Amino acid sequence: MPVQKAPEVVIYRLPLYLRALALLEKEQVSTISSLGLAQRLQLTSAQVRKDLSYFGRFGKQGKGYDVKKLLNELRNILNLNRVWNMALVGVGTLGRAIVNYEGFLPNGFKIVSAFDINPDQVGKRVGNLQVEHMSNLQNSIKEKDIQIGIIAVPPARAQEVIDLLTANGIRTILNYAPASVRIRPGTVVRSIDPVLSLQSMTYYLKT
Amino acid sequence: MPVQKAPEVVIYRLPLYLRALALLEKEQVSTISSLGLAQRLQLTSAQVRKDLSYFGRFGKQGKGYDVKKLLNELRNILNLNRVWNMALVGVGTLGRAIVNYEGFLPNGFKIVSAFDINPDQVGKRVGNLQVEHMSNLQNSIKEKDIQIGIIAVPPARAQEVIDLLTANGIRTILNYAPASVRIRPGTVVRSIDPVLSLQSMTYYLKT
DNA sequence: TTATGTGAAAGGATTCACAGCC
DNA sequence: GGCTGTGAATCCTTTCACATAA
């Protein structure tokens, strides 16, 4: 089916398609054209079709795409037909906010462990988790079948936490620390830094 | 100086250079080569040089770049030599976490107003702000000289808030709502959605 | 000698445009 | 008639490689 290997940018867009389709399903829309999807996402119809074509032929000529079917295909492609367990490292202000974020669980992402180096934090409750010491990391990752790490430590600590997580088999990391980190091949990191986003926008604000 | 118009991707990378240079300055490093910068950011030296060359000739052959000087140049390019005032819309769990985020102020981004439609929220304190009703938006944007909007409302509300902000002259928006929004030309939006980031990573997790 | 700045080449991504199918 | 899937063309981005300068 995958005629060619899908480019990375396409992988970034798939979740956008997924989100749009989930909304369409909720709105009881059963079929959508590439143009319809494109308009909702501010893309072109050709791009939508080409993106999807890397993974198969999901549409029907003259009709478009079946919403439920395409949703299902995308969930399979992105490996979202399961729950992914995540470990949070760093339970400061930011870490606590992350634990309380309501968007993870409905989408199949579950924080099952929270870690900190600060002994004062260890044992305390965060959400409905009890903070564990970093020395527990290896154990918990195995016992709780954790596949994803979330980093919410001060920037100077980010690299060592990355190294520790990857040393324990974690290949997928969501980094909230405002720091550039080095990773080895096979590991995927996505960074969330609102300040970088803002700074790349003020460029256009020639007041 | 700008020999050619800088591509968009380059604008996205400038804040990364800025962050790396700020760290180097703190470490008392006075000069850095394109290779040095590249290694810190997992880029190539050619890319660093080409990126910077869109804005001027900041380096010295045989030496590299003066850290302080380049920092200053980048701050000018990105319009970061001032404080930008921001309005937060939506003071739910997420909105409150955003107000408490310590990363904004040290970087020159200041939340000066918080809005909500819920009358129960209006008047309450969030951080050291008092929640204003949406009907105050127009006034506050003018009086407090607000240039940036932050959206932290439920996804179904995101579009109307975008429209309201842009109708009141806001051209720069940081969107935390997990929704795709339509904007008119001249407006810049950056979206922060950890779930999208996670979903684009699980693609690689063929377990 | 060392490292920048930059045209030219290579590599990727997007758009075009149309044959093919429902 | 309407809309997909896809090679080909275009556009954009990155890398190469070297003349140039400190």
Side-chain angles (χ1 to χ4, degrees):
Chain A
M1 243 147 285
V3 185
Q4 282 178 74
K5 191 178 170 281
E8 251 212 270
V9 252
V10 174
I11 307 306
Y12 276 89
R13 279 194 295 269
L14 294 184
L16 292 171
Y17 297 137
L18 188 78
R19 192 171 68 182
L21 288 162
L23 196 56
L24 287 165
E25 188 190 38
K26 227 174 71 179
E27 291 166 359
Q28 320 254 25
V29 177
S30 62
T31 296
I32 185 85
S33 67
S34 57
L35 182 61
L37 259 180
Q39 287 172 337
R40 269 155 237 261
L41 297 170
Q42 307 244 88
L43 304 171
T44 66
S45 62
Q47 184 160 64
V48 171
R49 292 198 300 278
K50 176 131 283 192
D51 282 359
L52 297 174
S53 78
Y54 286 106
F55 304 97
R57 293 130 65 94
F58 305 130
K60 275 203 175 28
Q61 276 121 326
K63 257 236 145 179
Y65 300 86
D66 182 90
V67 171
K68 277 186 207 293
K69 178 168 172 281
L70 187 52
L71 251 180
N72 191 47
E73 297 284 1
L74 287 174
R75 290 213 179 96
N76 282 333
I77 293 163
L78 292 171
N79 296 311
L80 296 173
N81 283 316
R82 53 163 291 179
V83 171
W84 292 100
N85 292 330
M86 309 193 291
L88 172 71
V89 182
V91 293
T93 317
L94 181 55
R96 281 159 200 277
I98 292 167
V99 167
N100 291 323
Y101 186 60
E102 311 93 332
F104 290 131
L105 208 46
N107 286 289
F109 295 97
K110 188 174 182 179
I111 300 177
V112 297
S113 275
F115 298 92
D116 210 293
I117 2 148
N118 186 345
D120 296 354
Q121 294 285 359
V122 175
K124 291 221 175 114
R125 295 192 78 69
V126 170
N128 47 14
L129 297 172
Q130 201 155 13
V131 178
E132 305 169 49
H133 192 263
M134 290 299 282
S135 55
N136 249 39
L137 196 71
Q138 184 163 27
N139 270 338
S140 285
I141 285 175
K142 263 192 203 146
E143 274 174 25
K144 298 185 179 169
D145 194 25
I146 290 167
Q147 301 88 6
I148 299 174
I150 304 184
I151 298 185
V153 300
R157 284 286 153 87
Q159 186 66 56
E160 57 188 278
V161 173
I162 294 257
D163 294 341
L164 193 55
L165 287 169
T166 51
N168 285 288
I170 299 293
R171 301 268 90 90
T172 309
I173 294 169
L174 189 61
N175 173 38
Y176 281 85
S180 294
V181 288
R182 241 150 314 159
I183 50 166
R184 51 202 188 85
T187 305
V188 194
V189 175
R190 301 274 187 264
S191 289
I192 290 188
D193 187 338
V195 170
L196 295 186
S197 300
L198 288 168
Q199 290 175 332
S200 73
M201 286 196 288
T202 51
Y203 173 78
Y204 301 99
L205 280 180
K206 313 268 175 201
T207 30
Chain B
M1 249 143 283
V3 186
Q4 283 176 73
K5 191 178 170 278
E8 251 212 272
V9 254
V10 175
I11 308 306
Y12 277 88
R13 279 193 295 269
L14 294 184
L16 292 171
Y17 297 135
L18 188 77
R19 192 171 68 182
L21 288 161
L23 195 56
L24 286 165
E25 188 189 38
K26 228 174 70 178
E27 292 167 358
Q28 319 254 26
V29 177
S30 62
T31 296
I32 185 83
S33 67
S34 56
L35 182 61
L37 260 180
Q39 287 172 337
R40 269 154 237 261
L41 297 170
Q42 307 244 91
L43 303 170
T44 66
S45 62
Q47 183 161 64
V48 172
R49 292 198 301 278
K50 177 131 282 192
D51 282 359
L52 296 175
S53 78
Y54 286 106
F55 304 96
R57 293 130 66 94
F58 305 129
K60 276 204 173 29
Q61 276 123 324
K63 257 232 142 185
Y65 300 86
D66 181 89
V67 171
K68 277 186 206 292
K69 178 169 172 280
L70 187 52
L71 250 179
N72 191 47
E73 297 284 0
L74 287 173
R75 289 211 179 98
N76 282 332
I77 293 163
L78 293 171
N79 296 311
L80 296 172
N81 283 318
R82 53 163 292 178
V83 171
W84 293 100
N85 293 328
M86 310 194 289
L88 172 71
V89 182
V91 293
T93 318
L94 181 55
R96 281 159 200 278
I98 292 166
V99 168
N100 292 322
Y101 185 60
E102 311 94 331
F104 290 131
L105 208 46
N107 286 289
F109 296 97
K110 188 174 183 181
I111 301 178
V112 296
S113 276
F115 298 92
D116 209 293
I117 3 149
N118 187 345
D120 296 354
Q121 294 284 0
V122 174
K124 292 219 177 115
R125 294 193 81 69
V126 170
N128 47 14
L129 298 172
Q130 200 156 11
V131 178
E132 304 170 50
H133 191 262
M134 290 299 281
S135 54
N136 250 41
L137 196 71
Q138 184 163 26
N139 269 340
S140 285
I141 285 175
K142 264 193 202 144
E143 274 174 26
K144 298 185 180 168
D145 193 27
I146 291 168
Q147 301 88 5
I148 299 174
I150 305 184
I151 298 186
V153 299
R157 282 286 155 86
Q159 186 65 56
E160 58 187 278
V161 173
I162 294 256
D163 295 341
L164 193 56
L165 287 169
T166 52
N168 284 289
I170 300 292
R171 302 267 90 89
T172 309
I173 295 169
L174 189 61
N175 173 39
Y176 282 85
S180 294
V181 288
R182 241 150 314 157
I183 51 166
R184 50 203 189 84
T187 305
V188 194
V189 175
R190 301 275 187 264
S191 289
I192 290 188
D193 187 338
V195 169
L196 294 186
S197 299
L198 288 168
Q199 290 175 333
S200 74
M201 286 196 286
T202 52
Y203 173 77
Y204 301 99
L205 280 180
K206 313 268 174 202
T207 30

